[in-house]
């Protein structure tokens, strides 16, 4: 039989999971991006950071070399990550091998996702079994740094009512840095079965193992810029800079349809994470003496998440209006143990030492032997939420929702023999009005609110003083337009204002809110199939993020631009070309070190052999630009990779 090749599978206006209802993107009063598994494979993305480089309004942090760290609309977070709408908040690098699509929702999101999400959230929708397909897909890739990875995607129907899917991958890590390396692998079997014509069950288990070198980049040079000409130099210990992660994530989901207009789904997720990282890193650099001051510590986190979530969705008409009503509840129990040991250098008997810069560094003996933190925390969250999507006549839609969260945290500070606790009860509203002059065009205005308890992203910031303070609040005001220009091609644009308000205690013991930061900006994205052969994705954002004292928020480039396009010459041969631009940014809130602007050009060639095997060559940083894509602070700045290539072969049978 002749092979039929189908191109242009990007989702531009399909239904997505970020609203907990099956809602078209054009009908969501919020700026968002959806990146599919096809786009991830086409651009050879390997982590969340790659995805965000092509997402307007979002940028990445270094994450101290051991975790995903994102900044969306000027708000930095290590915990605003979700799997199929359920929290995935431990610090690690999330693999993409089993992702169906990644949804980046911008603006405050507590109504749907709960606490946090002040600037936005990242939700990974995981591949599910397909009852109608038998698939075995294999891929193998290698790059010029020596990194090798392989993945399998296997799906089969084992009966008329059941199907299984297995995704797995393994990777030997390497890059342009002198001492970087590591290994990671993951496996995700899933089973879907129809218990009845109206009831289905999904069982999923994922195991992730990651063991890699922690690399915190280079320091600043003392003049307010990153240290140049040290792109490969490793400021750490090749043997002791290490991070390990073992994650076990098990999920049971039950879906039941009472009728065509009434359905319910319940998901129970248990996740166990065991994470450790230890590192020596640059704390400062003396350019005159050519010496570096080093610091270091070891950190261990164990966390168990138990999350139960139920959503009832009803579609009905009342008073001449069409409604889509969501009523939901969520209970979460998160138990964490965290310990930190400071490093002690033998030559100074302190956690810091200053040595001459030499390749490799002549490190004095050291040990992670000074305990500085040992905490146990128990977090319990009860959430109730409701949202109504109302069709008002032919041209207007109203979306209004509210969420109640009761957040309780108990902390046992073993190191200081102290206990802290706090209970917060917060209301998070969201309202949006949509005007649709045509079915494929919408203009909207929306307001949403979120909150972050004083325990912080990772439950480590609660103290005797902060336990007396109410959570931080995020208020997002936004207007935007969405236009499905043709099938598979969409234009979206939004302007917004996001305030971050913090409670402070006055001298007379009263609470007062202070706006600690304000981000105003503009985002625009054009994506999809421009012609039968040409697909394009263009994004631009402008962000003005100011702190209360008038300084600029760290790690927030004012201008970001991305462009990727693919042109298929034939059903067998295609070419891709893209560029990302990132404006200069401050490495931290001190505004003392500026990370320079950069542009990076990427390219790709795609060729499909007649038997269906696909060959792919991705070339990154075609112009061999020297650049710094991310930072953690003024002295931990990551040098970008030089010109390199990745070759991938994929086959499906």
């Amino acid at each position: 039989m002749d092979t039929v090749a189908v191109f242009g599978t990007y989702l531009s206006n399909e239904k997505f999971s970020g609203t907990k209802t099956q809602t078209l993107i054009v009908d969501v009063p919020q700026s968002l991006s959806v990146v599919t598994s096809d786009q991830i494979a086409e651009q050879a993305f390997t982590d969340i950071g790659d995805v965000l480089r092509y997402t307007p309004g979002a940028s990445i942090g270094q994450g101290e070399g051991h975790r995903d760290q994102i900044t969306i609309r000027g708000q930095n977070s290590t915990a605003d990550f979700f799997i199929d709408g359920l929290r995935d908040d431990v610090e690690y690098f999330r693999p993409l091998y089993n992702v169906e699509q990644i949804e980046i929702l911008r603006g405050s999101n507590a109504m749907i996702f709960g606490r946090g999400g002040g600037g936005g959230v990242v939700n990974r929708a995981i591949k599910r079994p397909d009852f109608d397909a038998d698939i075995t897909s294999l891929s193998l890739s290698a790059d010029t740094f020596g990194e090798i990875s392989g993945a399998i995607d296997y799906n089969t129907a084992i009966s008329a009512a059941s199907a299984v899917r297995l995704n797995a991958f393994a990777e030997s890590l390497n890059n342009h840095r002198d001492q970087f390396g590591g290994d990671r692998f993951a496996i995700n079997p899933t089973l879907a079965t129809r218990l009845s014509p109206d009831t289905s069950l999904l069982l999923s288990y994922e195991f992730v193992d990651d063991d890699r070198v922690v690399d915190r980049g280079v320091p600043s040079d003392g003049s307010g810029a990153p240290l140049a000409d040290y792109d490969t130099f490793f400021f750490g210990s090749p043997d002791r800079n290490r991070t390990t992660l073992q994650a076990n994530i098990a999920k049971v989901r039950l879906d039941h349809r009472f009728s065509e207009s009434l359905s319910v789904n319940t998901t129970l997720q248990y996740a166990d994470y065991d994470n450790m990282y230890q590192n020596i890193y640059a704390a400062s650099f003396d350019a005159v003496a050519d010496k570096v001051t080093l610091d270091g510590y070891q950190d261990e986190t164990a966390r168990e998440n138990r999350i139960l979530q139920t959503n009832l969705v009803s579609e009905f008409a009342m008073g001449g209006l069409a409604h889509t009503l969501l009523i939901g509840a969520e209970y979460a129990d998160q138990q964490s143990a965290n310990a930190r040991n400071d490093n002690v250098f033998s030559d100074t008997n302190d956690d810091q030492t200053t040595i001459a810069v030499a390749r490799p560094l002549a490190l004095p003996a050291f040990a992670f032997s000074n305990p500085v933190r040992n905490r146990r925390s128990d977090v319990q969250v009860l959430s109730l939420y409701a949202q109504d999507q109302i069709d008002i006549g032919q041209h207007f839609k109203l979306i209004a929702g509210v969420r109640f969260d009761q957040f309780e945290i108990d902390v046992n500070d073993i190191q200081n023999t102290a206990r802290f606790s706090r209970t917060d009860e917060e209301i998070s509203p969201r309202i949006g009005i949509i005007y649709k002059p045509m079915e494929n065009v919408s203009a909207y205005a929306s307001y949403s609110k979120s909150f972050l308890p004083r325990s912080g992203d990772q439950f480590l910031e609660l103290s005797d003083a902060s336990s007396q303070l109410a959570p931080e609040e995020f208020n997002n005001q936004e207007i935007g337009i969405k236009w499905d220009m043709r099938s598979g091609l969409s234009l979206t644009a939004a302007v917004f204002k996001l305030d971050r308000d913090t409670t402070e205690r006055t001298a007379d013991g009263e609470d007062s809110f202070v706006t600690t930061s304000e981000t105003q900006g503009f985002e625009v994205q054009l994506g999809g199939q421009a012609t039968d052969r040409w697909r394009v994705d263009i994004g631009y954002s402008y962000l003005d993020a100011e702190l209360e004292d008038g300084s600029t928020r760290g790690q927030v480039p004012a201008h970001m631009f991305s462009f990727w396009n693919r042109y298929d010459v034939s059903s067998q041969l295609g070419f891709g070309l893209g560029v990302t631009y990132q404006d200069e940014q401050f490495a931290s809130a001190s505004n003392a070190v500026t990370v320079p602007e950069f542009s990076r050009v990427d390219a790709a060639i795609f060729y499909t052999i007649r038997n269906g095997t696909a060959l792919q060559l991705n070339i990154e940083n075609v112009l061999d630009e020297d650049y710094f894509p991310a930072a953690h602070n003024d002295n931990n700045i990551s040098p970008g990779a030089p010109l390199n290539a990745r070759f991938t072969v994929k086959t499906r049978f």
Side-chain angles (χ1 to χ4, degrees):
M1 297 179 66
D2 292 337
T3 299
V4 178
V6 180
F7 300 99
T9 56
Y10 282 27
L11 297 180
S12 59
N13 190 34
E14 299 294 334
K15 298 174 181 180
F16 78 115
S17 63
T19 56
K20 296 190 182 347
T21 61
Q22 295 296 297
T23 305
L24 295 174
I25 293 176
V26 74
D27 293 337
V28 178
Q30 181 177 6
S31 181
L32 61 95
S33 301
V34 175
V35 182
T36 70
S37 57
D38 289 335
Q39 186 175 357
I40 290 169
E42 179 177 297
Q43 295 185 249
F45 292 156
T46 60
D47 55 38
I48 296 292
D50 290 336
V51 174
L52 292 194
R53 283 193 300 107
Y54 282 86
T55 302
S59 59
I60 61 169
Q62 182 194 86
E64 297 181 282
H66 74 94
R67 64 173 180 253
D68 292 320
Q69 186 147 358
I70 58 175
T71 300
I72 304 179
R73 291 190 172 175
Q75 311 307 314
N76 188 280
S77 176
T78 66
D80 291 329
F81 300 96
F82 294 80
I83 302 175
D84 293 329
L86 298 177
R87 195 169 293 275
D88 174 43
D89 55 2
V90 167
E91 299 178 334
Y92 71 106
F93 288 112
R94 291 155 179 83
L96 308 181
Y97 72 103
N98 61 343
V99 167
E100 185 67 35
Q101 64 186 38
I102 297 178
E103 303 158 356
I104 304 101
L105 295 92
R106 296 180 285 276
S108 304
N109 282 277
M111 196 268 127
I112 293 295
F113 292 96
R115 70 180 187 278
V121 303
V122 175
N123 182 55
R124 290 180 294 151
I126 304 304
K127 294 177 181 178
R128 296 187 178 188
D130 187 340
F131 289 91
D132 301 318
D134 283 329
I135 302 169
T136 302
S137 175
L138 302 172
S139 68
L140 180 67
S141 68
D143 69 13
T144 49
F145 297 129
E147 184 167 289
I148 301 173
S149 64
I152 181 172
D153 183 357
Y154 173 76
N155 182 93
T156 188
I158 57 177
S159 71
S162 298
V164 295
R165 190 162 193 167
L166 173 69
N167 282 273
F169 97 116
E171 185 174 34
S172 177
L173 298 164
N174 210 334
N175 67 11
H176 61 294
R177 304 281 286 161
D178 281 346
Q179 304 295 341
F180 183 77
D183 299 284
R184 67 171 174 169
F185 67 91
I187 186 168
N188 179 204
T190 56
L191 167 68
T193 184
R194 299 187 182 105
L195 302 178
S196 74
D198 298 317
T199 307
S200 62
L201 176 69
L202 177 72
L203 302 176
S204 173
Y205 167 72
E206 181 179 19
F207 175 74
V208 182
D209 185 281
D210 194 325
D211 184 341
R212 68 176 70 196
V213 169
V214 175
D215 179 9
R216 294 179 63 164
V218 302
S220 57
D221 62 7
S223 68
L227 186 62
D229 301 323
Y230 282 79
D231 292 353
T232 64
F233 192 90
F234 185 69
F235 289 90
S237 168
D239 300 322
R240 305 287 295 279
N241 277 46
R242 208 77 190 176
T243 181
T244 61
L245 167 88
Q246 288 81 39
N248 294 272
I249 304 170
K251 178 170 59 180
V252 179
R253 173 170 171 140
L254 186 67
D255 288 81
H256 179 71
R257 181 171 291 278
F258 297 101
S259 67
E260 287 298 318
S261 59
L262 181 63
S263 64
V264 64
N265 63 76
T266 296
T267 305
L268 175 63
Q269 178 173 289
Y270 170 78
D272 175 79
Y273 308 88
D274 189 359
N275 173 245
M276 183 281 294
Y277 69 98
Q278 57 188 36
N279 54 171
I280 301 297
Y281 58 91
S284 65
F285 178 77
D286 186 337
V288 176
D290 197 26
K291 291 185 175 182
V292 62
T293 297
L294 300 174
D295 204 337
Y297 62 87
Q298 178 189 71
D299 194 282
E300 296 182 351
T301 297
R303 179 171 299 162
E304 292 186 26
N305 287 350
R306 299 171 180 85
I307 302 174
L308 176 64
Q309 184 185 103
T310 297
N311 298 293
L312 180 71
V313 180
S314 176
E315 300 176 2
F316 60 93
M318 178 181 293
L321 303 176
H323 296 258
T324 300
L325 179 65
L326 164 70
I327 298 175
E330 182 175 288
Y331 174 77
D333 183 357
Q334 299 183 257
Q335 297 181 358
S336 305
N338 176 266
R340 174 167 291 193
N341 296 324
D342 258 356
N343 172 67
V344 178
F345 287 104
S346 61
D347 62 334
T348 62
N349 198 33
D350 188 48
D351 62 347
Q352 291 193 347
T353 188
T354 300
I355 61 174
V357 175
R359 189 187 296 267
L361 288 175
L363 292 171
F366 65 90
F368 300 109
S369 57
N370 181 25
V372 294
R373 184 170 66 215
N374 189 0
R375 286 190 162 205
R376 304 290 185 270
S377 65
D378 186 2
V379 171
Q380 295 187 349
V381 184
L382 176 63
S383 305
L384 304 172
Y385 49 91
Q387 176 182 271
D388 197 5
Q389 301 169 234
I390 308 171
D391 292 343
I392 306 173
Q394 185 177 356
H395 299 295
F396 287 92
K397 292 179 179 287
L398 176 68
I399 295 182
V402 64
R403 182 184 184 113
F404 167 78
D405 283 288
Q406 183 184 70
F407 179 92
E408 298 182 6
I409 180 169
D410 293 299
V411 176
N412 181 7
D413 186 346
I414 301 171
Q415 181 74 22
N416 298 301
T417 61
R419 290 182 177 269
F420 310 108
S421 63
R422 181 174 174 89
T423 299
D424 293 302
E425 296 183 345
E426 293 291 323
I427 301 293
S428 302
R430 163 172 142 165
I431 186 168
I433 183 72
I434 302 170
Y435 171 61
K436 299 189 67 175
M438 296 179 287
E439 188 62 30
N440 63 329
V441 178
S442 67
Y444 67 87
S446 67
Y447 167 80
S448 59
K449 179 181 175 181
S450 188
F451 72 97
L452 180 65
R454 286 308 180 89
S455 49
D457 278 349
Q458 300 297 331
F459 316 134
L460 297 175
E461 299 177 24
L462 203 65
S463 64
D464 188 36
S466 64
S467 65
Q468 307 302 314
L469 300 176
E472 292 185 285
E473 291 185 359
F474 303 81
N475 295 277
N476 186 81
Q477 304 169 58
E478 181 175 331
I479 59 174
I481 59 170
K482 299 183 179 184
W483 177 22
D484 290 340
M485 304 171 68
R486 53 167 285 175
S487 177
L489 181 66
S490 297
L491 173 70
T492 65
V495 294
F496 68 90
K497 178 175 177 287
L498 192 157
D499 292 327
R500 182 172 185 166
D501 299 331
T502 301
T503 306
E504 293 187 356
R505 185 62 59 91
T506 61
D508 58 3
E510 297 295 325
D511 288 345
S512 64
F513 272 100
V514 177
T515 299
T516 56
S517 71
E518 178 182 281
T519 305
Q520 300 184 65
F522 169 73
E523 302 160 352
V524 61
Q525 189 167 27
L526 172 68
Q529 204 74 26
T531 70
D532 292 341
R533 295 179 179 268
W534 182 36
R535 189 172 62 247
V536 64
D537 188 13
I538 305 173
Y540 168 78
S541 63
Y542 168 73
L543 299 175
D544 179 13
E546 290 190 357
L547 296 168
E548 182 187 10
D549 60 6
S551 61
T552 301
R553 261 196 177 277
Q555 303 177 33
V556 184
H559 300 276
M560 289 181 287
F561 172 78
S562 63
F563 168 75
W564 175 263
N565 74 136
R566 171 174 173 168
Y567 185 79
D568 292 306
V569 178
S570 67
S571 61
Q572 288 184 275
L573 181 63
F575 297 92
L577 183 67
V579 60
T580 55
Y581 169 79
Q582 184 170 286
D583 201 0
E584 65 180 21
Q585 59 179 315
F586 291 116
S588 73
S590 73
N591 289 189
V593 176
T594 301
V595 180
E597 66 179 354
F598 72 88
S599 298
R600 194 184 100 174
V601 178
D602 300 330
I605 303 173
F606 311 95
Y607 184 76
T608 302
I609 303 173
R610 288 293 184 182
N611 65 5
T613 299
L615 308 179
Q616 179 175 326
L617 177 66
N618 291 83
I619 304 173
E620 298 180 347
N621 197 4
V622 172
L623 303 181
D624 203 20
E625 174 87 359
D626 287 330
Y627 69 105
F628 298 90
H632 177 66
N633 56 35
D634 291 348
N635 286 294
N636 296 156
I637 306 168
S638 297
L643 168 70
N644 65 93
R646 177 181 292 269
F647 179 74
T648 304
V649 56
K650 292 181 286 187
T651 187
R652 179 170 174 165
F653 51 88

